[in-house]
Structure formats: structure tokens, C-alpha cells
Amino acid sequence: MGKFIAGKLLQYLIVIFLMLTLNFLLPRLMPGNPLVFLAGEDVGFMSSAEKEAILDKYGLNDSILEQYGAYIKNIFTGDFGYSYQQKRPISELLMERLPWTMLLTGLGLVLSTVIGVMFGAISAWRRGTRTDANLLTVFMFLSAMPSFWVGMILVSIFSAQLGWLPVFGAESAWSNYTGMDRLIDIGKHLILPLATLILISVTSTFMIMRYSMLNVLGEDYIMMAKAKGVKEKVIKYKHAMRNALLPVATVFMLSLGFTLGGATVIETVFAYPGVGRLMFESVLSRDYPLIQATFLIITFSVVIANFLADLIYPLLDPKVGSRNG
Amino acid sequence: MVNQKWKKYWQVLTSNNIGLFGLILLVIFLLIALLAPILAPFDPSARVGDPFMKPNSQFLLGTNDVGQDILSELLYGTRISLLIGVIAAFISILLGCLVGIISGYYGGKTDAFLMRLVDLVLVIPFLPLMILLAAFIGPSFWNIVLVISLISWASPARVIRSQVLTLKTKGYVEAAKSIGTNITVILGRHILPGVIPIALSQFVLAASHSILIEASLSFLGLGDPFTKSWGTILYYAQARGAFLTDAWIWWVLPPGLLITTLVIGFAFTGYSLEEILNPRLRKER
Amino acid sequence: MNTVLSVENLSTYFKTDKGIAKAVENVSFSLNKGEMLGLIGESGCGKTTVAQSILRLIEYPGKVVSGRVLLNGRDLIKASEKELSSMRWKEISVIPQSAMNALNPIFTIGDQIMESILLHENVSKREALQRTKTLLELVGIDGERWRSYPHEFSGGMKQRVAIAMALACNPKLVISDESTTGLDVLTQAQVIALIKSLQKKMDLSVILISHDLPMVTAICDKIAIMYAGNIVEWASTEDILKNPRHPYSQALLNASPDLSNPEKEVVSIPGSVPNLVDFPHSCRFHTRCPYAYDKCRQENPEFKEIKKGHYVACFLEEEGNHG
């Protein structure tokens, strides 16, 4: 098991290393003035002294290796650079936005997994019936819809037309709600983005669960449980479910990246103040250091979440969990 | 003989309701794309009406913020969405085949290395990475194609590899290898014919993903500014707040429905191709 | 006689794309207390389907279309789910085809044995665990290993676990369905010897399903020979060995067993098992039978008792011109 974890850890370290290197090289390799990529398009309005200061800060006059070393060191000390457009340190901006993204994607992942698992299992238990066919069709259509469009339609219907829910943001501005009221306010703002995120990411879990449950139901140990006289419900939930969940857990890890990517787009639609929306804002204003930092923070989150999932996986699968497995 | 095999695929595909449905959708979209100049009432880039007009007899889906005809934009948009989807999918499948075949054929350390690489690529959150790349290399048709295909080759590569492994275990490949048959001959005669059908179904599925990704990138303002895809239309609809007014019915709803239908067309075709090619799957579904 | 199980005219069909496959047709036999019956035939002849029909484990697209399975007088085919649940494992249990797959990989073997005890008997968890340990010892496994997961055991050990599990509730009848498939020869012999000794010790009735004729003749009291969904001959081992009546039985006995490769089907009879889909109303063996004549191609012979306890389904018996 230690070996398994170590292997995974190595894999993730390589991912982080590659992405850091890509991030380091992008502004320096792209044609054009690297200053634009490092400080944003406002560079044209800066005095030469200011430009000199930036060149100095990024050590652009040093050798490439020295620059790289300094870059890595900065990242790992939490210094993601400075947004010259927002006139604030990037790490500060990220810290402000991260909690909202974690709230949205965390809830989205958990709920879409639960819903996908539930319907996937039902579909498999009723394979070949109307229910199964209908569920399959609905989920196929869900996966074909563009996430941002689903969000826009939901806003059009539930906010603009019906006026039930707020249009954008994570909480009402200038309201000064406190305590319970604030929570309710946050909850109301969360419903639509969350629903969108669930709608677009639920299908992969559904498909995997259905397929995996079909396989498990064909296994001999399910027939054995039946021969033993175990009740059908117990067979479904105790014997079949946990085995069928193993592949779902694997896909859960892979879908982390997808969900975070989806969140980027969805946060944009709802002007939800998360890291994804920050990335969109920085793309709009061509604030390159901020684009890079948001990308890095998303990658870090995916990798960390993946690693946590790897740590939990052995608890589900005794084959990986045991010492000699 | 090869012809007969394809004929059989065709028959199974068209006898399968889902596959037939998907295929018909694709044909319709292809026709729209080809006939856009005839079908569209206006030049999509010309300001032919007042801004923000409601649908009327002249502008069936109204006009946008600068007075362009939305229906014409949609019809021409079919070309961009379809083209980007197909080209990006084609390149990523080409890459996927290359990696999959090398990995499966040579096995050993090459295989281990390439599959590790695939694992790595699959961990990276692909949409943010695409946004990053697109932001740096600038928005254009080919840049979008490039960005999508650079990142979407990984999971087809894995599927192709396992197919090559299956083919390799069949006696004739080993036999051909042992008598020193030229590798190009082995690949051409024994491996490729077995890989191409799988690659085809992977291609169709990749196209459906590419179309969705293109839409997302365009929606984030990273699309080609000179040729409007469906995603770009939605970007403007979002930027002008169309979804908060009654205009959502003619400005927001139609592009999304078109994207969904086209993606469904590819996905249904792809899934039924997969079912045909993988009888094991066919039984279980 | 003390009959434990009596199968009467059992037929089980499967719906397939190509039509109805009559996997088991008109099968009858019975089993006395403490008796060991070998059910033998080539793979695909319907042995496992018979076992699953008796255990009421046939699922769509399969269906038991007719017949009775009387276990101590109660018809399992007609039993309600509730009755069935209470009879399973208490009265009838199974040692499955391949124990590798019959043990749930995510539960410890102890949990899985205990589950059957707790399900059917009103005992405390502690007691159930005690019995589980005893059962493991009985099949030659250290009782303290109840905490192990299936993948921590070798194939032979898993098979022993499966036996222990089958005996958990002291059943009256145990069906062993090709329980040694996939094991090496030595382990096979050990497992079979274990089943035999437990059968004697506990006075069990056992149906031993196998394709290994020498093994079956060595340990079974009676033998039923299956061919393409029918039982063609059923008699005491002695009668089968000394006086096999059905041409298929004779062919089986004549085909010399390959000792170097016992996994191999012992049968080497020209031709192959017929397709069971929409099988015509005729003797199913006629395509491979050296003695087949017109009648065999038109009618299905009745399964008749030709002498006490010796049943055969063959027209040659009536004609009296047996070759």
C-alpha cells in the first residue's frame, strides 16, 4: 500500500512540476514583450523606471535557470506574484476566491456522485426495462448540453422570469445579513450554480455506476448470496453496491478536473466570485500573471483532491488496502 | 472482403435506432453547414436591422446587439462548430492512434512510459489548461483546434492501445513478427485494419467533446473573433444580458439547442459504433 | 426409502436471440439421505442449469417451465420467496463452480460465513463466530484466519472456505457444482476427498456435478449421465460401470481418461453437442449415435426404469436389439 501511495505521489509531483515549468516558460517563450505577459497589458502606460522595477522583480536580466529557481521558490512560499491591474498581490486575491469555489465544487461533486450512483444503480437493477431506457436517454442528453448554456437557461427561467432566485453573485451586496440570514442568502445564491454543476457532471458517474453494477450483478458471489437466502435488498445494498462503487471511486478522481473546469465556466455565468470567475476576469483583461496563478491553484486543488481520494481508496478496496496487496 | 465488413457495420449501424437517429442528425447539420449561404436570409456579419429586435416576419429570431440577424448567425455558426469539432477530433485521434499503437505494439518500457504520460495528462484539469493556452497564444480558429487536440488525445490513446494488445495476442501478428516481416507490413496488414474501426468510434465521440469544449472556450471570449460559432453567439448574449430579458427565448435558447443536438448526433453515432465493434458491450447494455 | 430430493420432469428454457434454448428438458431423478449422486456430462449439457433450477437461481432470460423439485416433500419451484429464503442454506446449500468468484472480495471470509449463520439461526454474533472458526478448522483452515479477505487465500483454500460456508447451517442437501474447476490436480483430489469425508461424517446428501467420470465413479453411490439437456441414464455406480445401457454412457466409459491432463474433457465421441435452440422432437443423441435408426430421428425416447433403480432413455431398450 505504501508503494501504491508513493507511486501516486510521484505521479502528482511530476504533474505539478510540469505545470509549473509550463507556466514559467509560457510568458518567456511567447513572441512579443514578456513584460506584457508578466505584468499585463497596462505595461504600455508605465514609466521606464516602473518597467525596470518589474524586470528586476522577475529577474528577467538573470540567467534562465536563476529565474526558474526563483520562480519555484516563490510559488512554494505562497508568492504567486502581483496583479498590476488589480494592484494587489495575487495570493490575496486567490485566498478571497478559493472558499467560494471549494463550496461550489465540493458540494457539486458530492451531490452529483450521490445522484449518479443512485440512478446508475437503479438503471442497472432494472436493466432492459422502460425505466432503464428513459434514464439512459435523459442522462445522455444532459451530458450533451453545454454547461454555461444550462446555467443561462436556469437563470432565465428561475431568476429573470419567475424571480424566485437571485441572478448572480454568492451573496447579496450591501445587505449586511448576519448569522442565519446570511446562510440562507448564501444558500439561495448557491442553488442555481450548484444545480448547473450537478446537471452537467452527473452523467459520467451514472454511466460508470450503471456499467459497473451490471458487471457486479453478473458475478458469482451475487448468486451465492442469493443461494444463501440473503434478502434482495441486502444483496443490492450490501453485496453489490460496495463492489460496484470501486470503479466509481476511480472515475470520481478523474472527474475532479472536469468538475473544476466546469465550475470555471459556471462561475462565469453566475458571476460567482470563485477562482474560475477570477480566471475569466483575468482572461478578459489579459492579466496574464493572474491567469497563470488561477490555473496553478486549480491544478493544485485537483492534484491534492486526487491524492486524498487515493488515500481513501484503500479503505474501500481490501485488495489495495491489505499489506500484501 | 474489407468492403463486406464495412457494409456489415453500415447495416448494423442503420438498423440500430439510436445510431440511425444520430446519423440523420449529422447529415442534417452537414447540409445546413454546406447550404448556409442559400439558407441564410442575410449576411451574418452585416448590420441588417436595428439592434435588439424581437422576432418578426423579416428576422425570424430577431437581431442581436448590433443589428445582425440571429438566424443567419446560427446557420453560418454551424460551419465553425462542425469544422472545429471534426478537425480537432481528427488530430487528437491521430495523436491517440500514434501513441496507442506505439505503446501497444512495442510494450515494455515504451508502453509503461507512454501510459504514465496518459495518466498524467488525464489528471490535468483540461478546461483551465486550455483557457491558459488559448489566452497566451491568442484566439484564432487554428489555435483553438490546436489547444483542443493537444489535450484530448489521452483517453483515445488508451482505448487504441488495448485494441492493439488484443490484436497482438492473435497468432498471426506474432507469427509475422517471428518470421521477420517488415513492421510497416505488420502494421498495415494486421494492426491498422483492426484499429481503424475503433478509432472511428473514438473519433465520433471525440468530435462531440470537441464541440462542447469549443463552445465553452468561445463562451469565455477565447473563440475566433472573426468567425462566430454558436459559443461566440452565446458569449455576446451573456455579455449583453440577453438571458435576463425576454430575448432569452430567441437569442439564448436556439444556439444551445443546436449545440446539444449536434453533440447528441455525434454521441449517438459514436455509442452505437462502439456497441457494434464491441459485442461484449452489446450484450451487457 | 428416505428420499431427500426428488426432481420430476424438470424443464428449464432460455430465451435467446435465435429462439428458445431448451437447456434442460424433462429431467427426473431422486436422492436418498446420505447418498452421493454424481451428475455427469460434457460442458454445456445443462448440469449447472439443473443445479440452478433446483436452487431456484434461474433468472431472466431463463425460466423453469415445468416440473417439480421436492425437497423433503416441499416443492421448491412453487415455494414463495419467503419460504425459499427460510429453506435456503438450512436445508439446501451449494459449493459453487468457482470459489474464486463466489466469495465477495470486499468482505472477510469470516463475515461471509457468519452472514449465513446469523441469517438463518437465532444465535448471538459471538456464537456465530465460534461456529465459523469451528467450520474453518473442519475444512483444514486455521480458525483465526476468519479475518482474512478472499484474495489472501490460494485457490484451494478458497474452495475449502466455500465448503465451510456451504456447511454453515447443517444443510441436508449440498450441491457441489464443478467445485474443483481451475484447481491443480493434487488440490482437486484433496478437495474431493474432503467433500467425501464430510459427507460421511455429517450424513449429508450430495449432488456432485462434474465432467470427470473416473473421479465420480470412485466416490459416488449413484450416477446420472446428462447429454444435451436430458438425463439419458441414471443408475447405481456399479450398474453404470458394469452394464451401461445408453450408447452415450458406453461411449463415455470407453473414452479412456487422459491421466496426464485430467482437465481435458474425457469425452472423445465423434460429432458435437447439438444446438439446443428449437431442438426437434427426437432423441437428442441421434446425431452422434452409432446405433441410431429412423425412430430415433422422429421421437424422443421415454426415460424408463429397465430394472430396479436403473433408468435409461433409449429406444434400443424397447426393441431389445441392443448392440
Side-chain angles (χ1 to χ4, degrees), chain B residues 57 115 126 137 145 151 156 186 234:
Chain B
S57 57
M115 283 305 111
F126 66 93
I137 61 181
V145 167
I151 294 159
I186 297 181
L234 285 166

Side-chain angles (χ1 to χ4, degrees), chain A residues 278-299:
Chain A
L278 186 63
M279 188 170 199
F280 172 70
E281 287 165 3
S282 57
V283 167
L284 273 191
S285 59
R286 295 292 187 265
D287 190 346
Y288 293 99
L290 195 52
I291 303 179
Q292 290 189 299
T294 48
F295 168 70
L296 275 187
I297 205 77
I298 292 175
T299 308

Side-chain angles (χ1 to χ4, degrees), chain A residues 221 226 228 239 242-243 322, chain C residues 59 101 104 112 115 120:
Chain A
Y221 55 76
K226 211 179 149 191
K228 270 158 68 171
H239 291 255
R242 261 192 63 190
N243 280 293
S322 65
Chain C
E59 279 183 1
N101 307 324
N104 195 325
Q112 296 184 55
E115 180 184 41
H120 296 290

Side-chain angles (χ1 to χ4, degrees), chain A residues 15, chain B residues 116-126 150-154:
Chain A
V15 171
Chain B
R116 260 290 143 92
L117 191 68
V118 166
D119 283 343
L120 290 185
V121 172
L122 286 175
V123 173
I124 301 168
F126 66 93
L150 269 182
I151 294 159
S152 320
W153 57 270

Side-chain angles (χ1 to χ4, degrees), chain A residues 127 219-221 223-224 226-230 234 238-239 242-243 246 316-319 322-325, chain C residues 52 57 59 85 88-89 94 96 98 101-107 112 115-116 119-120 149 151-152 165:
Chain A
R127 64 184 171 285
E219 291 284 350
D220 287 353
Y221 55 76
M223 196 183 261
M224 268 306 276
K226 211 179 149 191
K228 270 158 68 171
V230 181
V234 181
K238 188 178 157 196
H239 291 255
R242 261 192 63 190
N243 280 293
L246 294 181
L316 278 175
D317 188 355
K319 264 187 212 167
S322 65
R323 279 142 287 139
N324 49 349
Chain C
Q52 292 181 348
L57 289 174
E59 279 183 1
S85 278
R88 281 177 165 157
W89 237 247
V94 59
S98 95
N101 307 324
L103 296 170
N104 195 325
I106 57 164
F107 298 119
Q112 296 184 55
E115 180 184 41
S116 36
L119 202 64
H120 296 290
Y149 286 97
H151 72 272
E152 293 169 323
M165 189 152 81

Side-chain angles (χ1 to χ4, degrees), chain A residues 100 103 159 164-194 270 272-273:
Chain A
W100 293 116
L103 178 68
S159 305
W164 290 352
L165 292 165
V167 175
F168 62 85
E171 51 185 330
S172 306
W174 337 116
S175 57
N176 297 324
Y177 285 132
T178 51
M180 207 53 208
D181 289 336
R182 183 166 179 226
L183 278 184
I184 292 172
D185 187 47
I186 290 177
K188 274 186 178 170
H189 281 82
L190 190 61
I191 291 178
L192 288 183
L194 189 60
F270 292 93
Y272 202 81

